[in-house]
Amino acid sequence: MPAAWAPPGAPAAPPWANLSSAGQFVLLGFAHVPALRPLLAALFLPAFLLALLGNALIVLLPALDAGLRAPMYFFLRQLALVKMCFSLDVVPRLLGTLLRPGRGVSPAGCALQLLLVLSCVSSECFLLTAMAWDRYVAICRPLRYGAIVSPRLCHRLAAACWLAGAPVALVFTVWLFRFPFCGPRGIRHFFCDIAPLLSLVCADTRVFEDNVLAATVLVMIVPFCLIATSYAQILATVLRMPSARGRRKALSTCASHLIVVVLFYGTTGVIHLRPKASYSPESKQVVSLSYTLVTPMLNPLIYSLRNKEVKAALRRVCCHHLGSGPCEGPP
């Protein structure tokens, strides 16, 4: 029986039903506003390019300027790489969904995207924790900072942040795709994520959801508690400083990181702490858009506009490559 056949009087099958019946998934991102899809694509493409360009600049700048060789900028480079990976994994397919709706996604392609999304989210949680620890040592143990935060330790921490989330992401991706998917495989989202995929499963997923929640607590909440603990001790140390100028300088080195932490946890927590919550798919798409596109775009702006060393390094690199004469040294 053809997939698009329906008995008389039944609602017509959606145009992507044939793909769905062939075992493919179909991303239905922003299907509730079809008339706005071209406009959304025109808005998202420049934001995507800005995110890639800005984060690529954060990655390359420490390699071009010796003034940004501190551990803080090493971890910042890793964070920018995670943001780039995240954007490259999600946004090209989002743009394709907006411009050519109804295109099928193979189960393998959907699983790979989910694996990369979960790995990037985990890596970002761990990197933000490592960056908070770096600021804690710099402010609370300044005399021992160079001995504790060695280049070798930084490289090991970065490797751990990149790799630690991959096994968990792999386990949950394989587990989820072993469930039977029933009915039309239209994913009411612009990328393959746990919540919209769970809504297509026709089996008992309570054990899976309980394990997802437990893993989320370990991967997101525990790092958040460590970050909060680090900043509580930083604040206690700053309040004991006798100089107002010293307090402002110490807090200014933490402000950018704190903004990124708030943006990250304020958006991803809504989605990943309750994978089958009662939020509408449309509201989840808006929240997901904030951490897949908006936050990666803002990340370079937050760190460059609020950091004098980054702005000074950017001026030196521009002066050197444009040949505009002597450049201003570091502040």
Side-chain angles (χ1 to χ4, degrees):
M1 182 181 296
W5 180 89
W16 44 266
N18 287 331
L19 289 172
S20 178
S21 64
Q24 291 187 307
F25 294 96
V26 179
L27 295 172
L28 304 176
F30 299 99
H32 58 293
V33 285
L36 293 180
R37 279 177 159 177
L39 176 61
L40 292 175
L43 293 174
F44 294 164
L45 179 59
F48 173 57
L49 296 177
L50 283 174
L52 288 184
L53 180 62
N55 284 290
L57 184 63
I58 294 293
V59 171
L60 294 174
L61 197 56
L64 299 174
D65 188 89
L68 297 181
R69 300 291 168 83
M72 178 175 71
Y73 299 109
F74 172 79
F75 289 120
L76 179 57
R77 292 177 71 186
Q78 306 305 312
L79 182 64
L81 281 172
V82 170
K83 297 288 189 184
M84 290 177 66
C85 292
F86 207 171
S87 295
L88 287 169
D89 181 38
V90 172
V91 181
R93 187 160 285 171
L94 164 61
L95 295 173
T97 300
L98 292 172
L99 296 175
R100 295 184 61 186
R103 295 178 63 187
V105 181
S106 68
C110 191
L112 178 60
Q113 186 179 52
L114 176 62
L115 174 65
L116 293 175
V117 165
L118 296 179
S119 297
C120 287
V121 169
S122 302
S123 296
E124 186 161 356
C125 289
F126 299 141
L127 277 170
L128 291 174
T129 308
M131 294 171 76
W133 171 78
D134 170 75
R135 292 298 83 209
Y136 161 76
V137 178
I139 295 173
C140 301
R141 302 286 187 274
L143 298 180
R144 299 190 58 199
Y145 180 75
I148 296 174
V149 190
S150 63
R152 185 177 182 181
L153 179 60
C154 289
H155 284 88
R156 287 182 175 180
L157 281 174
C161 291
W162 277 98
L163 298 175
V168 178
L170 181 62
V171 166
F172 284 109
T173 300
V174 173
W175 189 354
L176 178 57
F177 277 84
R178 288 177 66 88
F179 284 119
F181 295 95
C182 303
R185 296 191 177 187
I187 300 174
R188 297 177 67 182
H189 210 334
F190 57 84
F191 68 93
C192 296
D193 201 4
I194 289 178
L197 285 167
L198 276 178
S199 66
L200 304 179
V201 173
C202 52
D204 187 357
T205 61
R206 285 176 294 181
V207 175
F208 175 82
E209 291 181 61
D210 291 342
N211 281 272
V212 168
L213 181 59
T216 302
V217 169
L218 290 175
V219 173
M220 294 187 67
I221 303 304
V222 171
F224 179 78
C225 292
L226 294 174
I227 293 171
T229 302
S230 297
Y231 275 105
Q233 298 191 40
I234 288 172
L235 182 60
T237 301
V238 169
L239 291 176
R240 291 196 298 266
M241 291 180 177
S243 167
R245 181 179 179 183
R247 289 194 294 269
R248 284 195 301 269
K249 184 177 180 180
L251 290 175
S252 67
T253 64
C254 303
S256 299
H257 179 256
L258 272 175
I259 294 172
V260 172
V261 167
V262 171
L263 287 174
F264 176 76
Y265 277 96
T267 53
T268 56
V270 173
I271 301 298
H272 293 283
L273 283 175
R274 299 178 66 189
K276 212 170 183 180
S278 58
Y279 309 120
S280 69
E282 290 74 22
S283 62
K284 285 184 176 180
Q285 289 180 53
V286 174
V287 174
S288 298
L289 189 66
S290 64
Y291 73 84
T292 56
L293 183 60
V294 177
T295 303
M297 180 184 67
L298 293 179
N299 183 59
L301 296 176
I302 293 170
Y303 278 101
S304 61
L305 293 179
R306 297 191 59 88
N307 192 301
K308 294 180 180 179
E309 292 181 352
V310 172
K311 290 189 286 188
L314 185 59
R315 284 196 298 269
R316 290 194 296 270
V317 169
C318 291
C319 289
H320 176 74
H321 289 279
L322 295 177
S324 57
C327 301
E328 181 184 351

